[in-house]
Amino acid sequence: MADMDAEMEFLKSMRELNEAAGDYGADNVEAVQKEPLSTEDNIHLQDMKDSSFTVPADVSGNVAQVHSPSLTSSSEIVHPHSMSHPTSATLSNTAASRDVLTDENKTQEPPQLLAAVSSEKPSSSTKPRVLGGFIVDDDDEDEAPVQGSATEPLNRPSSSVGGGLSSDPQRSSSKSPVNTMASPQDVSVSNVTLENAPTLPQTSVPNVSNPLSSVVPDSAELEVGERRKSQDALAHLSTATAGVPSSTTSLPKARLPHDRVGILEDRIKEDPRGDIDAWLNLINEHQRRNKLEDARAAYERFFKIFPTAAEQWVTYANMELANNDFYRVEQIFTKSLRALPNLQLWSLYLDYVRRRNNLTADSAGTARAIVSQAYDFVLDNVGIDKESGKIWQDYIHFIRSGPGMIGGSSWQDQQKMDSLRKAYQRAICIPTSAVNALWKEYDAFEMGLNKTTGRKFLHEKSPAYMTARSSNIGLENIIRDLDRTTLPIMPPALGFDGDEDYLGQVGIWSRWIQWEKDDPLVLKDEDPAAYKARIVFTYKQAVMALRFWPEMWFAATEFCFENDLEQTGAEFLTQGMAANPESCLLAFAQADRLEYTLPPEEGVDGLRRRGETIREPYDKVLDALYDLVAKAKAREAQNVARIEETAAQGQLPVHGHGATEEEYEDEKDNEKDAQEAAKQRQVKLVKDGSAAEVQTLSKTISSAWIALMRAMRRVQGKGKVGDPVGGCRQVLTDARRRGRLTSDVYVASALIEYQCYKDSAATRIFERGIRLFPDDEGFALEYLKHLTDINDVTNARAVFETTVSKLTQKPETVHKAKPIFRFFHQYESRYGELSQIRKLEKRMSDLYPDDAQLSRFASRFAAPDFDPTAVRPIVSPSTQARPKVTVATDNPSLAQNTPPSRFVPTVSSPKRPLQPDESDTEVNRPRKLARGESPLKGAAGRRLDQQKRNQHHGQNQGSTSAQVSHGPWPAQQPPPPPPLPRDVLFLLSIIPRAETYNAHHFKPEGMVRLLRETNLPKHPQPQPRPMPMGFVQSQPNGRRQLFPFSAPSLCPALRTAETVQSPAAVPQFPS
């Protein structure tokens, strides 16, 4: 109990030191640097293998010496963090020697398991080194959540400031109730080692194989009640821990083959959201065995995970209907109808209502009224569905079967006709597959009553029907390959089976939603409520199929919030988070929404309540992510145990009968070696895959902590650790306790301290982080940027030298130092001395010989958007800036897209047979000589001839002036463009001037594209031209003359007038 009192005294002094230092904002930087790593730092370092720490190859080989019982001296062991790190004043080489080996991200044990801390100095014979309650003898990683106090400070000081090892009291190696296993040879060797650490005296090391077994003090130091608490906490911690699997990991007992229910339950337990087949098979198995209660229980469990599975709600209701349990059926409809706009489910509800209300024996009309209300209820909720045409037709048939006669004169007849007209007019405006049939029925209905009023009603509704019909066709083209299922599946990872199909379904749903937003039914201005309702309905259909796709939930939420649908948007967001608890997207969206909408509150209590409300979504997503890490590590342990069990049960292949005993033994030994090698390969693959998965989760967890830190800064400010208003500093403390952090968390916290508060704590956070992440080049780079920003050049140079020296010691880590070299080279090029720059470039050239020396030298003077060393000024424009001459050549590729010419130089003609030449292969082949261009007659021909003369005259004048001005040398001018084709010149000659055109303007690029893509026949057949619009005027000689409305100058190729002999004759125009 004395040790426990000492620990309480230490915790009390720690709190006092925290208050005196203002958390970690004290001015005595030197004192902070002398502190050993705190328990939170130990938590972080233990997860360096899964986070960002890479163990050098030559470091892990000497770790066994730390834990070997025969260790006599540890002077040969070096500390990986022995590089000196600067303080805010000067670089201290002695501070690094006081650093103690720590493991980042190791989960802290419960408070009752902490080792008692003694205020006495360590004796010559110390205990094995313990970090955060764990003996450093394994690289196992622990993810158990920390149950420690929330008031623990950021920098936990040590009772011994002068240096050396931790002053924790020595623990004996006697076995406690939970420290009863392992031997020295079973101890796993950690990948993290000591470099340049102080000499460790010889000590006795407890025999442990489980790293958790060392967290319990000696049994003599605890009372019986304390030991029970320690055992319970250790058992809880061990179950939550997902460390590297040991040989004692056991697989669950295998089920018997006939135990189908047990096998399915195991599958569901292992993967509740992904193994839908196991759920469905389990329900079917219970139904097959006629165990309805078990089937109902399975359904209820299923709907807690898949509440939007409308198809299974229908199956559940049909099971109860088959047993005539109408009470349970109505309970099913109460739970599912409002939340699921599924046509199949609502159709079942409508059938149930019609079944329960018999219309044949309804003398009072009560049943018909109930069924009519049910129809209205169903159509109001799913009547806009694309497949709802069948329900609309049934509804119209139901109205027709009611009392009253169509075309009658009584009030009942008129009421029936009004109801039919209203139903038809609603149905024909919805794009369904039955819209054409409904329009035909409506047309017959209206025309059968009264043709005059019928035409009026049809004329009013015809535009809406045409829009619905065309929209239905467009929608069919979009969703042709859509699978409208309500059984959602987990999205496959990219690069794995099914990813393309799943993304294809996501794309179809997105196109459908965008089609609704484009408003093809023209509802946005005429009926905004219907426009929004259709889009929300489509989103609800989409999230039923894509329940585990957070982007769809987010899009639905944003649309609702943007269109004043606050309640619907909040429902989308809540349901999306329930379906995807590990989604940072939805958690951040909900937290952002709460922060934006919550009213500001004054006072400490108001800030505390507001902070708790905003923090809730972040806590949920963090809990889900930590659970995924634990499951990943547990799955790794099971896979490794399964591999080891399979290898242990492997049988040798059958050998030949003639083999001798020695040959058999050799083959047996070789087979054992092959099996062992195969086992090691498979175990390595499993561990590598699990490490990659945990690394991704660690980055996600760190991003969530950073987002929470920034939100708390906005809501509560800087805060103070342990106060009701903890602010961003409390978030950092909580994150360090739970572990699984990357260096990004420390960078974000330090930059918040500096950018928002100009607090010196930023530098101390960086100093603590560089000790936790010594091989993280990204963190070192951010640290260098911070030091240069605060103009601490001395420490910046020291951090640079220390970091790059460590990274360049190993060939596999040399590439990590390149961004650090580039940054510091850029800094030295701007603000350093030339000698320093040249030395730095020499080091870079030695380390990276493949990099071009020119680019390294030019980077001294280059700006982000300009490199002066690469500029080539124009000194001689006549030689350097001479334009390229383009020679017109026949391009076959262009000829394919050009309309064929109407003028063929040589064609076959039967009129003028020529004598065969010697080169002719055919005898008496009819040919026609190429004729010259026949001039156009009339005004068009004169204008064309004048344009040619002007062009030729201008070219002659240009050549003459060039010779006069430049003498005998040719002028440095671009050659004239090639002449335009004859057809283009003719077209330009008949087009009026631009200022005379005041009608609609066409897009030039569209007209050019139309002309280019128009295919004209090479040899058009002469066809009679249609008569142009004009008028016919009688002449004195009895003939009629046709005068076109257009001016003759607009179409000079046609004759200005044609005469015909009789009024019935059609004028013929020459081709």
Side-chain angles (χ1 to χ4, degrees), residues 39-254:
T39 304
E40 289 84 354
D41 297 332
N42 299 333
I43 295 173
H44 291 298
L45 275 176
Q46 187 62 29
D47 283 337
M48 284 189 296
K49 178 181 178 181
D50 286 344
S51 300
S52 59
F53 182 73
T54 304
V55 182
D58 64 340
V59 175
S60 59
N62 299 327
V63 185
Q65 301 176 10
V66 180
H67 305 289
S68 176
S70 60
L71 179 66
T72 58
S73 176
S74 61
S75 59
E76 298 178 358
I77 303 176
V78 290
H79 199 298
H81 316 307
S82 60
M83 53 181 180
S84 59
H85 299 290
T87 63
S88 59
T90 59
L91 185 66
S92 175
N93 293 326
T94 59
S97 63
R98 294 191 296 268
D99 292 347
V100 185
L101 172 66
T102 56
D103 267 350
E104 171 65 1
N105 290 350
K106 186 70 178 181
T107 306
Q108 183 183 3
E109 67 275 13
Q112 62 266 26
L113 299 182
L114 289 172
V117 181
S118 175
S119 60
E120 300 177 358
K121 294 183 179 180
S123 60
S124 59
S125 178
T126 61
K127 60 161 191 159
R129 221 167 52 75
V130 178
L131 299 176
F134 295 88
I135 293 180
V136 186
D137 61 346
D138 202 345
D139 60 351
D140 292 356
E141 289 143 354
D142 210 318
E143 290 80 38
V146 177
Q147 308 294 334
S149 173
T151 61
E152 186 166 349
L154 177 66
N155 295 332
R156 181 172 179 175
S158 174
S159 57
S160 176
V161 184
L165 295 176
S166 175
S167 59
D168 293 345
Q170 179 179 355
R171 297 182 183 177
S172 65
S173 59
S174 60
K175 295 182 179 180
S176 64
V178 294
N179 189 12
T180 58
M181 53 179 153
S183 58
Q185 59 268 24
D186 294 332
V187 178
S188 301
V189 178
S190 175
N191 286 335
V192 184
T193 62
L194 297 171
E195 293 183 4
N196 299 335
T199 301
L200 296 177
Q202 182 176 0
T203 180
S204 59
V205 181
N207 297 331
V208 291
S209 63
N210 187 350
L212 299 179
S213 62
S214 62
V215 302
V216 182
D218 183 58
S219 57
E221 298 178 359
L222 294 176
E223 298 294 337
V224 176
E226 295 296 331
R227 289 201 302 268
R228 290 178 180 175
K229 292 181 181 179
S230 301
Q231 295 174 17
D232 296 340
L234 179 60
H236 172 72
L237 189 61
S238 300
T239 57
T241 301
V244 177
S246 63
S247 59
T248 58
T249 304
S250 60
L251 294 174
K253 294 182 179 180

Side-chain angles (χ1 to χ4, degrees), residues 862-923:
D865 56 347
F866 183 71
D867 185 5
T869 61
V871 174
R872 294 178 176 83
I874 298 178
V875 180
S876 175
S878 60
T879 57
Q880 292 181 271
R882 184 168 52 192
K884 294 183 179 180
V885 178
T886 57
V887 180
T889 59
D890 295 336
N891 193 343
S893 61
L894 297 178
Q896 294 178 0
N897 299 325
T898 306
S901 174
R902 294 175 55 191
F903 305 96
V904 183
T906 304
V907 296
S908 300
S909 175
K911 296 181 180 180
R912 227 177 301 175
L914 299 177
Q915 296 297 327
D917 296 335
E918 296 179 357
S919 60
D920 292 341
T921 58
E922 298 179 7
V923 180

Side-chain angles (χ1 to χ4, degrees), residues 7 139 217 292 347 364 370 382 415 422 536 549 652 679 683 890 950 988 1017 1030 1055 1071:
E7 181 178 8
D139 60 351
L292 297 183
S347 299
I370 294 175
V382 295
Q415 186 183 50
K422 181 180 179 182
V536 171
W549 190 254
L652 294 175
K679 185 188 75 171
V683 169
D890 295 336
N950 294 338
L988 295 176
R1055 298 182 182 273
S1071 58

Side-chain angles (χ1 to χ4, degrees), residues 324-344:
N324 293 328
D325 195 342
F326 299 123
Y327 174 72
R328 293 184 184 273
V329 173
E330 292 176 3
Q331 284 185 329
I332 292 173
F333 287 141
T334 302
K335 294 177 182 178
S336 60
L337 272 181
R338 287 289 189 177
L340 303 177
N342 179 262
L343 194 63
Q344 185 181 2

Side-chain angles (χ1 to χ4, degrees), residues 584 588 698-708 742 744-745:
C584 291
F588 296 167
S698 298
K699 291 182 179 179
T700 308
I701 289 171
S702 300
S703 300
W705 281 115
I706 292 172
L708 175 59
T742 63
D744 300 330
V745 178

Side-chain angles (χ1 to χ4, degrees), residues 587-600:
F588 296 167
Q590 188 177 38
D592 184 73
R593 185 70 184 175
L594 291 173
E595 183 180 352
Y596 183 75
T597 56
L598 284 178

